[in-house]
Amino acid sequence: MKRTPTLLAAVAAMAAAPAMAHTGHGTTSLFAGLVHPLGLDHLLAMVAVGLWSAAALTGRRRLAGPALFMLALLAGAVAGAAGWGHALVEPAIAASVAVLGLMLAFARRLPAAAGLALVAVAGSLHGLAHGAELPDAGGFAGYALGFLAATAMLHAAGLAAAPRLLALPAVVWRTLSGGVALAGLMLLARA
């Protein structure tokens, strides 16, 4: 129970910090891949996928959300590195954060197949941005290894935090999901 305020304080501190997405250029491709998902838009989405998966899916199926997101992320990154990204990627990523916040709010009412489809779409959009930001130095493999490792850690954080958050009064979960959705809308307004 004592960890929940610490987790919420950490999330608030990250939200207050400037977004770190699209950083790491001029560094090794592995490091660039590790830090790219730490931007507010990517961080919120990836933690939200873990939270939603733990709240909406049961047993081993809880890993389906993160696994599907990572597969779509990788496919999107390949497409983005090949130049398939477009000007609407950033607004679409912001919108995906808002949608993931709404998915958290309705985690137990949203059919699993629909939720997983939305997770895949979000993963591919975030992947397009990752691929478009491939650093000049280094190769795609190191970069992909970095952003996949960071993504897995963020998903794991969401999966681990969900049971504790769900055990608290429902207002905590509603506030969290509303905060994610609102952050997505704010990011969309700035995109």
Side-chain angles (χ1 to χ4, degrees):
M1 231 15 141
K2 291 181 181 181
R3 292 183 184 164
T4 301
T6 304
L7 174 66
L8 293 175
V11 170
M14 302 245 350
M20 293 174 54
H22 320 294
T23 60
H25 302 286
T27 64
T28 67
S29 59
L30 177 65
F31 181 75
L34 284 169
V35 300
H36 187 100
L38 300 181
L40 185 61
D41 51 357
H42 298 307
L43 184 141
L44 286 173
M46 293 169 189
V47 172
V49 167
L51 289 168
W52 176 81
S53 295
L57 306 173
T58 59
R60 289 186 178 194
R61 290 188 65 208
R62 290 181 176 176
L63 297 178
L68 187 57
F69 186 95
M70 289 178 63
L71 286 172
L73 180 74
L74 185 57
V78 169
W84 289 11
H86 53 82
L88 296 177
V89 169
E90 291 301 323
I93 287 172
S96 78
V97 174
V99 168
L100 288 165
L102 291 173
M103 286 174 60
L104 289 175
F106 300 102
R108 294 195 173 135
R109 289 184 235 149
L110 180 67
L116 289 170
L118 291 169
V119 164
V121 169
S124 64
L125 292 171
H126 288 263
L128 282 171
H130 284 19
E133 297 291 325
L134 178 66
D136 295 332
F140 182 82
Y143 182 61
L145 180 63
F147 70 69
L148 288 171
T151 298
M153 287 186 272
L154 292 169
H155 288 326
L159 284 165
R164 290 186 186 105
L165 292 170
L166 289 167
L168 295 173
V171 68
V172 174
W173 188 262
R174 285 193 294 266
T175 302
L176 174 71
S177 58
V180 172
L182 180 61
L185 292 175
M186 292 172 64
L187 289 166
L188 185 57
R190 290 182 18 194

